[in-house]
Structure formats: C-alpha cells, structure tokens
Amino acid sequence: MAELICIVCPKGCRLKVDETTFAVSGNSCEKGAEYGKTELKNPTRTLTSTVKLENAALPRCPVRTSAPIPKAKMFDAMSVLEGVTLTAPVKIGQVAVKNLLGTGADVIVTRNID
C-alpha cells in the first residue's frame, strides 16, 4: 500500500493507494482518487524553466509546458530546452517547442518581453 499526500487542492488528503488494484482511500473528492491512481501508474508534472533569449534586455525567457508531462521525461525535456533560443519580442502563450518529446505538450512562453 503506497501512501501519498494529495496535492490537487489545499486539503492535502492522506491517500492510501493499493499498488495492485490502484484502489484509493483517504480522498475527500474524485480528483484526489484520480491523482492517487495517476501518481502510481504514470506520474506527471508541469515543467517550468527558462530558455535563452536574444535581442532583449533579459538573457532568458520563462517557459512552461502546456500540460503535464511524464516525470520520467523531465531530464530529457531539460536537455531539449538547453538548445532552445528565442528572439525577442516574445508573447505569453507563444510556442517555443511544439510537442515536447512526443508528449503532446508544447513549451510555451509565460512572459511578454520586448
């Protein structure tokens, strides 16, 4: 039995997840149950980072994935971002990397920079 603390909402429910059947207990909502199952089957995270930026007062631009990606791909994703260089101006929501590592998630800009 795996024990997790749910991070979906501020309640922080203490979940118990059966590692064989993926039955979840201790959750106070369905989102908690789904989180517990997903965390054991295929944990995902939203990646936030920065990429190089040219022709701007700032040397780097903040970015994030448009959706969570598998936790196991985080280091590979960071390697991809090391090679990305954007040119100013950039706008919030602009795609810096399309379909990162085949995950279906894009890497998007999170700050307007002229």
Side-chain angles (χ1 to χ4, degrees), residues 26-84:
N27 57 301
S28 52
C29 69
E30 276 304 308
K31 288 181 182 178
E34 188 59 37
Y35 169 79
K37 291 175 192 173
T38 301
E39 193 62 15
L40 258 70
K41 290 180 179 180
N42 182 27
T44 60
R45 300 289 185 272
T46 298
L47 173 65
T48 59
S49 187
T50 60
V51 296
K52 292 176 191 169
L53 183 63
E54 294 180 338
N55 296 335
L58 301 173
R60 301 200 60 86
C61 174
V63 294
R64 70 169 174 83
T65 52
S66 59
I69 63 171
K71 191 175 172 183
K73 292 191 174 194
M74 284 293 184
F75 288 110
D76 292 337
M78 289 301 295
S79 292
V80 169
L81 294 184
E82 281 180 29
V84 174

